[in-house]
Amino acid sequence: MTARILIVDDQPDIRKLIKLTLQHLDGAELFEADNGAEGLRMALDVKPHLMLLDVMMPGALDGYQVCEKVKKDPLLGGQTKVILLTARAQKEDQEQAVRVGSDAYLTKAFSPLKLLDLVDNMLGRTA
């Protein structure tokens, strides 16, 4: 199975780090967007199996809003797992992530190995 993974983050360095971390996953196709609105548009087009989604992004949609829209979409909601990425680690932030339907919450700066393990888990692979 080819796993489609969409990376949505406004910081090019973070997107590059994630791509470098995930580029060696067998059968993974990586896509990226630099804001929430573009990320949502790409999600509807690409229908990813997994989204790595920054919470705090400039523009019309933040990561919480994108996650909620993806999870409520009839086509994406049952197929797309969402890992929210954020520098915010407060209890309220994690509770908001649960409310919008995220499948996991990873605090920046994260370990590349932890990210790989989480991605493998979300895609149903053994690490």
Side-chain angles (χ1 to χ4, degrees):
M1 168 186 100
T2 299
R4 292 179 303 279
I5 301 172
L6 175 57
I7 303 160
V8 185
D9 199 301
D10 61 313
Q11 297 180 16
D13 290 345
I14 298 291
R15 289 195 314 271
K16 184 176 181 178
L17 172 67
I18 293 170
K19 282 176 63 176
L20 287 171
T21 301
L22 300 181
Q23 71 183 358
H24 299 296
L25 283 177
D26 288 337
E29 194 174 356
L30 303 177
F31 301 88
E32 61 182 287
D34 63 4
N35 64 66
E38 178 68 8
L40 181 59
R41 186 197 66 73
M42 285 189 74
L44 293 167
D45 186 43
V46 171
K47 296 175 184 49
H49 297 99
L50 178 65
M51 284 182 78
L52 300 165
L53 183 57
D54 185 23
V55 170
M56 297 183 296
M57 290 182 286
L61 296 173
D62 67 17
Y64 291 130
Q65 294 165 312
V66 173
C67 180
E68 188 169 38
K69 289 178 183 300
V70 165
K71 290 301 188 171
K72 287 183 177 178
D73 183 271
L75 292 174
L76 296 175
Q79 161 185 310
T80 303
K81 302 278 187 188
V82 177
I83 299 173
L84 288 176
L85 305 172
T86 184
R88 301 173 62 160
Q90 301 299 319
K91 184 179 180 192
E92 300 82 31
D93 300 309
Q94 294 176 15
E95 289 169 349
Q96 177 69 6
V98 170
R99 279 194 294 276
V100 298
S102 74
D103 297 285
Y105 188 89
L106 192 58
T107 305
K108 296 176 184 177
F110 49 82
S111 151
L113 290 176
K114 185 172 183 177
L115 177 62
L116 274 174
D117 286 345
L118 189 54
V119 167
D120 280 336
N121 183 288
M122 289 288 128
L123 293 175
R125 301 171 178 218
T126 54

